[in-house]
Amino acid sequence: MKLLFIGARLFDDVALYTKKMGITTVLTESNPQALNLDLADSHHIVPRGMELPKEIALKEDVDGVVPLIGIDGPLIDVALLKEDLETNHGLPVVASPLDAVSISGDKIKTKEFLLENNIKTLDYTVIDSNQKNQRLELNNFPLVLKQRQGQGGKDIKITLSVEDVHKYLEHYDGALVEKFLDGIEISVEILRWKGHSVPLVPVYKGNTTLDCIHPLNKIKKAPLAADGVNSHEHNQAIRMIAQKIGDLIGVEGSADLDLIFDKVNRKTYVLEINTRPSGTRYLTAASSDINPLHEMVDMATGSWDTNSVRERIKEYYALEIPVGDYISNRNSYKFREFHGENDWIIHGPENYQRITIRGKNKEDAFRTAKQLKLNL
């Protein structure tokens, strides 16, 4: 079995697994200085775009293609590559199709999709620089302004006044506007392949803040526990929402759903759909024992089975803590799998490292954090 992987940045998360499974790996990457190139059996430096990866996939006679792309920009090109290779060459590409990417990559289209399917999402309006005061009464603040494309908090601004809105629109032609909620940020990953889906564990990503602190800089936990609601029922409801959306939009591979829980009215709203590997994948793996990227490998090899995934799901408690830089010889692909009931993994680039901890329960996870001398 031979697989082509597109993108080196996340390859260290699958390198150990592919070696264990006896899979020959071919890697393409546009950055010659990228990490992880030597972890593959062979690699090719290619220009940006999907033309050369396609040629290499066909020349190398691989059995499947796994794009390991964690950013939105190339996803349309990946979807077009998928359509070509699957339709014309019978070669599976573990990524979402064009329709799903077109909706998920545009926040306005996402809103329209959610409303058309009666899925709870925050009320919104769209303004442009010539209509700065449209539906912006002073008592509506704070408001969240977003661009229709973008990820990771990019181009998002929480505004406290009309003047703030005006300043934002000095840099943009318009904005999608939502009410700011005092709430909890949530993610849940969805695995889906050939019409079959498995939603995984909802992850607590921290409270919303007026200064737009990104979840990567917060302590995150799984499974989700929100005050004032039954955690099991709440998590199951979120998983069912994720499965419904995954099936309706037709995602494939690994995708994730961003939601927000309103602390005041105790309601959960869907914010975004991301048709790419999630930044919460380590928490998912720690708490459920299901590694989404490993599952993508199984999809490419034809061995993925939803019943097997459901049977393998376990229930642990997980913590993820940003550490900046943490001296350890475990930040390596050789230590990227959790073992047993209590374990920890360090991951991430220099200055942005995080430690994800698995515990049999909450007490065990916090005990490990204390032993590692982490600030909680």
Side-chain angles (χ1 to χ4, degrees), residues 7 14 16 100 111 124 126 149 165 211 221 261 269 358:
V14 299
L16 187 63
K111 285 287 191 182
Y124 77 103
V126 177
Q149 278 94 27
V165 176
D211 50 0
K221 307 168 189 176
F261 174 72
Y269 302 91
R358 168 192 286 177

Side-chain angles (χ1 to χ4, degrees), residues 12-45:
D12 54 340
D13 287 350
V14 299
L16 187 63
Y17 185 68
T18 54
K19 291 179 188 297
K20 285 183 178 180
M21 301 301 292
I23 297 169
T24 300
T25 55
V26 182
L27 178 64
T28 64
E29 168 60 48
S30 61
N31 177 10
Q33 306 302 317
L35 300 175
N36 306 322
L37 294 174
D38 293 336
L39 298 183
D41 293 302
S42 63
H43 70 266
H44 303 263
I45 302 301

Side-chain angles (χ1 to χ4, degrees), residues 192-262:
R192 191 172 185 276
W193 188 241
K194 297 187 181 301
H196 299 281
S197 55
V198 182
L200 298 172
V201 58
V203 171
Y204 165 90
K205 299 198 298 184
N207 296 328
T208 57
T209 61
L210 288 173
D211 50 0
C212 277
I213 297 175
H214 192 274
L216 286 178
N217 299 316
K218 300 177 183 177
I219 295 175
K220 298 187 285 296
K221 307 168 189 176
L224 170 70
D227 292 339
V229 296
N230 180 294
S231 293
H232 176 74
E233 291 178 1
H234 192 204
N235 283 356
Q236 286 301 103
I238 290 172
R239 293 179 73 240
M240 291 306 98
I241 292 170
Q243 180 162 348
K244 177 181 179 179
I245 289 174
D247 290 342
L248 283 171
I249 199 174
V251 302
E252 291 203 310
S254 178
D256 91 321
L257 198 63
D258 288 340
L259 310 96
I260 187 167
F261 174 72
D262 188 337

